[in-house]
Amino acid sequence: MSRHDPVEPFHAISISRLARQLEAEGRDVIHMEFGQPSTGAPAAAIARAQAVLASDPGSYWESDALKARIARLYQDRHGLELNPERIILSCGASPALVMALTSAFRPGEVIAMARPGYVAYRNNVLALGMVPLEIACGPESRYQLTAAHLAALDPAPAGVIIASPANPTGTVISTDELAAIAAVCAERGIRIVSDEIYHGLSFVGPVASALEFAPDALVVNSFSKYFSMVGWRLGWLVAPDDLLGSARARMGNLFLTAPSLSQHAGLVAMDCVDELEAHVARYARNRQLMLDALPALGLTRIAPPDGAFYVWADVRHLTDDVMDFARQLLIDTGVATAPGIDFDPVEGRHFLRFSFAVDTPLVADAIARMTPWFQARP
Ligand SMILES: Cc1ncc(COP(=O)(O)O)c(C=O)c1O
């Protein structure tokens, strides 16, 4: 007997599969479907990994030096004194999110989140037997949850997942709003899980950490985005004291440790500021190219891309079936994009997400290919 599986597939993967098929047929495809840097790890991090490979067999291991260095990141970015022992290294933000959810919540508990939002929030919550409460967030709140949304929920959910900058929109929660969210959550006993994976990638100045206002929040982060080390599978969870033991027990049982080679490389990467900031400068140029070009494509209803490397564009005047639309766009122009249905099961059929984490000439090329295609749409 088949069992209904509530966990949906990632639809961008089928666009990517079609893109690979077209490439195998000799087509030239520009990949804007996945949110991943097209660059590799910083050069010094790669050199360190090569040296470690030659001398170290690798082991189950958690680098104290890396935890201390990550703690310093919170001091440098947010002026926060963080005990490095509260940092649990993980194989990317994805396992850190699983750890955060299973240590803080029990099956059946309700977890609020913004819709649109990163596809894995809803699916992880469902996979863990918890109940996602998706709150429709539109342009009026920059597609983000607000303190007012959380104050209005009756009964209060057990938890909330926030992300700033967010995927798929790139929008940032202002510092004041974050403080207000933390205050409502403290008052109503709602535990915050804050996904801060896009920290460091902001075009609107510093972005606050939830830890500045909610010391008992669980914070997820990763080397995949700012540090350009997506394939190294390295990230971390900052756990509050009351959940630290539970989170460590889950890390040990579910995932053991983060890759030792990546921990060595990650420690070096954190000091490669010039190289990493050059990526941010490139994303800023790419973002500007997109913002300048979108009106000519007729895409004027977009989320303000404050950070990350995404444009979340409303294409409802062109389609009701964004999956088919993205497929056609790819076949006709060779530009791969992510259909909005991954991020919003209700309204997503009207949205397309462009990732501009590619080389600047490729962004220009994608715009040149897409402009006549969009202009030819009725
Ligand atoms: C918002 C968000 N959180 C988490 C992840 C997962 O990242 P990681 O590669 O660190 O597992 C992603 C990946 O795109 C993401 O966009």
Side-chain angles (χ1 to χ4, degrees):
M1 199 174 79
S2 74
R3 200 161 57 91
H4 171 67
D5 186 353
V7 179
E8 289 266 320
F10 203 164
H11 298 284
I13 292 175
S14 68
I15 293 292
S16 188
R17 208 173 291 132
L18 175 59
R20 302 280 168 213
Q21 194 185 315
L22 294 176
E23 283 174 321
E25 290 164 11
R27 291 281 304 278
D28 176 24
V29 172
I30 301 173
H31 290 276
M32 301 180 96
E33 75 274 36
F34 287 143
Q36 59 178 9
S38 56
T39 47
I46 293 173
R48 174 71 184 135
Q50 280 164 339
V52 169
L53 262 183
S55 61
D56 181 342
S59 55
Y60 296 131
W61 176 61
E62 202 183 30
S63 163
D64 287 334
L66 182 56
K67 290 194 291 181
R69 182 65 187 83
I70 291 171
R72 184 146 70 78
L73 186 72
Y74 286 88
Q75 177 66 260
D76 297 346
R77 281 186 180 164
H78 309 290
L80 288 172
E81 224 27 271
L82 199 65
N83 176 355
E85 284 313 308
R86 287 182 54 200
I87 295 163
I88 304 176
L89 301 175
S90 67
C91 325
S94 305
L97 182 64
V98 173
M99 261 195 292
L101 292 170
T102 64
S103 23
F105 310 113
R106 293 288 159 264
E109 287 191 322
V110 174
I111 317 297
M113 61 195 72
R115 176 170 65 71
Y118 178 50
V119 60
Y121 302 152
R122 178 178 72 251
N123 284 330
N124 276 333
V125 163
L126 285 168
L128 295 170
M130 298 156 193
V131 182
L133 175 61
E134 294 186 293
I135 299 172
C137 295
E140 65 293 339
S141 68
R142 306 166 74 78
Y143 299 92
Q144 284 281 9
L145 282 180
T146 63
H149 282 129
L150 294 169
L153 295 177
D154 185 21
V160 61
I161 303 176
I162 56 173
S164 166
N167 180 5
T169 59
T171 61
V172 161
I173 301 174
S174 74
T175 303
D176 287 350
E177 191 61 44
L178 188 60
I181 288 173
V184 169
C185 288
E187 194 183 302
R188 306 199 70 202
I190 305 170
R191 179 80 75 161
I192 297 176
V193 174
S194 179
D195 184 349
E196 303 188 350
I197 189 169
Y198 292 105
H199 275 209
L201 301 180
S202 162
F203 313 111
V204 293
V207 176
S209 167
L211 290 174
E212 293 174 43
F213 306 105
D216 66 343
L218 294 109
V219 170
V220 168
N221 209 324
S222 170
F223 281 76
S224 292
K225 311 294 177 175
Y226 175 74
F227 297 102
S228 192
M229 294 178 66
V230 73
W232 296 72
R233 308 312 301 136
L234 184 63
W236 70 90
L237 171 72
V238 183
D241 288 333
D242 65 322
L243 295 176
L244 190 52
S246 312
R248 281 207 173 285
R250 278 153 180 79
M251 181 64 202
N253 281 287
L254 293 172
F255 310 109
L256 280 175
T257 59
S260 56
L261 188 65
S262 305
Q263 296 181 54
H264 286 291
L267 179 60
V268 173
M270 292 190 75
D271 288 324
C272 297
V273 176
D274 291 348
E275 207 174 325
L276 298 172
E277 287 300 318
H279 295 329
V280 182
R282 180 164 44 83
Y283 300 145
R285 284 196 298 276
N286 294 355
R287 169 183 177 270
Q288 198 54 53
L289 276 179
M290 291 292 288
L291 291 181
D292 291 345
L294 289 174
L297 274 66
L299 302 181
T300 49
R301 289 185 308 268
I302 60 163
D306 301 328
F309 28 57
Y310 303 120
V311 169
W312 178 245
D314 190 331
V315 291
R316 77 184 63 226
H317 55 296
L318 300 172
T319 187
D320 258 347
D321 179 354
V322 79
M323 192 67 200
D324 183 57
F325 189 80
R327 224 180 264 126
Q328 206 53 53
L329 174 65
L330 170 59
I331 291 167
D332 293 347
T333 68
V335 179
T337 54
I341 47 174
D342 274 331
F343 310 97
D344 182 338
V346 181
E347 280 294 314
R349 65 201 169 97
H350 295 135
F351 288 86
L352 205 54
R353 191 198 70 178
F354 300 89
S355 167
F356 52 78
V358 294
D359 273 353
T360 304
L362 289 181
V363 175
D365 188 1
I367 290 167
R369 296 184 196 192
M370 289 192 296
T371 305
W373 189 85
F374 273 87
Q375 286 176 349
R377 302 272 113 188

